[in-house]
Amino acid sequence: QVQLVESGGDSVQAGGSLRLSCVASGYTYSANCMGWFRQAPGKEREGVAAMYTSGDWTFYASSVKGRFTISRDNSENTLYLQMNSLKSEDTAMYFCAASRRYCAGGTWSRADNFDYWGQGTQVTVSS
């Protein structure tokens, strides 16, 4: 099992920045792909960004590319999501997720490919 705990969510004004963190514990060696998802009220959970736990390949949703950056610190078992130029449409609960599968271009954003989930952290962007 892998346990994931997110933090860093907050309320900010449009144009602002936030950095989300996700600390992983447990059998972290079993995770080959980690990612961030978000879910707004009344909407489906959507993939925001993902990356391999080893190597530097990253994947981004088109809606956040150029504004968000996913990164990790393996020494701290921590995954980050740096969010810049935030927009009101970025308002959502953000979830960290880990998968035993490797990230792939066509499937990284599918929530059902991820095995472990955090409880989420709320991001609210006001315009």
Side-chain angles (χ1 to χ4, degrees):
Q1 294 290 324
V2 178
Q3 293 79 42
L4 304 170
V5 178
E6 305 97 332
S7 62
D10 205 346
S11 296
V12 297
Q13 291 193 332
S17 298
L18 283 174
R19 188 176 81 157
L20 306 184
S21 300
C22 170
V23 178
S25 60
Y27 294 109
T28 57
Y29 62 86
S30 67
N32 291 302
C33 176
M34 293 191 71
W36 289 96
F37 287 74
R38 66 186 181 187
Q39 188 166 19
K43 294 189 177 181
E44 292 188 357
R45 192 168 295 192
E46 63 170 346
V48 174
M51 70 183 305
Y52 286 107
T53 55
S54 59
D56 296 325
W57 283 24
T58 57
F59 304 85
Y60 292 96
S62 58
S63 58
V64 306
K65 201 166 187 178
R67 299 188 298 124
F68 291 11
T69 303
I70 189 172
S71 62
R72 70 179 192 279
D73 183 341
N74 287 344
S75 67
E76 298 290 335
N77 285 334
T78 302
L79 184 74
Y80 300 100
L81 184 69
Q82 177 67 43
M83 306 187 294
N84 298 329
S85 302
L86 283 162
K87 305 175 181 180
S88 57
E89 50 263 45
D90 295 318
T91 294
M93 183 72 77
Y94 283 71
F95 298 90
C96 176
S99 174
R100 294 188 296 267
R101 301 170 183 84
Y102 287 94
C103 308
T107 60
W108 71 267
S109 60
R110 287 180 51 178
D112 58 3
N113 280 338
F114 286 76
D115 306 292
Y116 309 105
W117 293 86
Q119 294 300 306
T121 186
Q122 178 68 38
V123 172
T124 302
V125 184
S126 58
S127 56

